[in-house]
Amino acid sequence: MTITDTTAASGETADVQLVNGLSCSVPADSPLAKLLRTQRTWVGPDAKERLKILRSAKSVAIVGASPNPARSSYFVGTYLQQSTDFRVYFVNPNADTILGEKAYPDLASLPEVPDIVDVFRKPSDIPAVIDEVVAIGAPTIWVQLGIWNQEAAEYGESKGLTVVMDRCIKIEHARFHGGLHLLGFDTGQITARKTIR
């Protein structure tokens, strides 16, 4: 279900598109309209599709990468460098190097078009990042765990992007490759279990 405000003025109505295809109008400032705005109705790629994205990718650009070891983007960057075959690029206009690699000021400055653009930015920044991703021709935007912007996800798909949102690329990669510990660390465990194909 989606909700669209017909006007911003108080006392006006909002159109609600229900899952069954019907629509109705509700007062835009009503508790129901506010509740509907908070509901997650967009669904991204399922587990098999995410596995396919990761298996076909050769390069990942991390937008919002941080040189601070306490930040999650640093941890994810470390994992991608050490535990995958991805070429990893770091995008941060305020850093010169991150994890021993050159940091780029924006996506357009990268030496290649990445297969996946992994985003560590606040939800309101996601539409602008989508525009950058579309401009360079990258096929997939992967928005990190804890970051949700449904309108941006729908916008990205309307621009032809594959959109993954509110999922950690490190956790997903480790999960598919048998190295996921409860705390998100690589277990280093060797297993006889058959890998996902």
Side-chain angles (χ1 to χ4, degrees):
M1 124 182 50
T2 58
I3 185 165
T4 308
D5 291 334
T6 53
T7 70
S10 180
E12 296 299 324
T13 61
D15 293 323
V16 178
Q17 182 70 40
L18 303 172
V19 181
N20 63 6
L22 299 176
S23 63
C24 64
S25 294
V26 297
D29 58 353
S30 71
L32 177 59
K34 290 175 186 171
L35 174 66
L36 292 173
R37 277 190 208 94
T38 66
Q39 300 300 303
R40 291 186 176 193
T41 56
W42 175 83
V43 178
D46 64 19
K48 287 185 179 181
E49 292 167 327
R50 293 191 306 274
L51 175 61
K52 185 177 176 184
I53 291 166
L54 292 171
R55 284 203 169 156
S56 64
K58 302 288 185 232
S59 59
V60 176
I62 302 177
V63 172
S66 173
N68 181 349
R71 303 300 296 265
S72 56
S73 62
Y74 188 94
F75 183 61
V76 168
T78 300
Y79 173 85
L80 294 178
Q81 279 185 327
Q82 296 177 359
S83 302
T84 73
D85 293 328
F86 297 141
R87 292 182 300 280
V88 181
Y89 300 101
F90 300 100
V91 179
N92 181 333
N94 301 316
D96 294 326
T97 61
I98 297 173
L99 289 165
E101 300 289 333
K102 177 180 178 180
Y104 296 88
D106 52 40
L107 290 171
S109 302
L110 296 175
E112 70 173 299
V113 175
D115 297 311
I116 299 172
V117 175
D118 188 25
V119 184
F120 287 86
R121 298 283 299 274
K122 63 186 178 204
S124 60
D125 292 342
I126 304 304
V129 176
I130 287 172
D131 289 337
E132 284 187 63
V133 172
V134 170
I136 65 165
T140 302
I141 182 169
W142 190 299
V143 182
Q144 272 302 126
L145 188 65
I147 304 169
W148 181 264
N149 183 329
Q150 180 158 314
E151 292 77 20
E154 292 165 352
Y155 174 64
E157 286 183 339
S158 76
K159 295 289 187 178
L161 295 176
T162 299
V163 180
V164 179
M165 187 168 286
D166 193 18
R167 291 195 179 271
C168 177
I169 194 169
K170 179 254 176 272
I171 291 172
E172 293 290 293
H173 186 276
R175 181 167 74 97
F176 291 133
H177 294 87
L180 186 62
H181 180 273
L182 180 62
L183 298 175
F185 297 103
D186 188 353
T187 62
Q189 179 178 5
I190 298 171
T191 179
R193 291 183 93 180
K194 188 175 178 180
T195 58
I196 299 173
R197 301 220 183 267

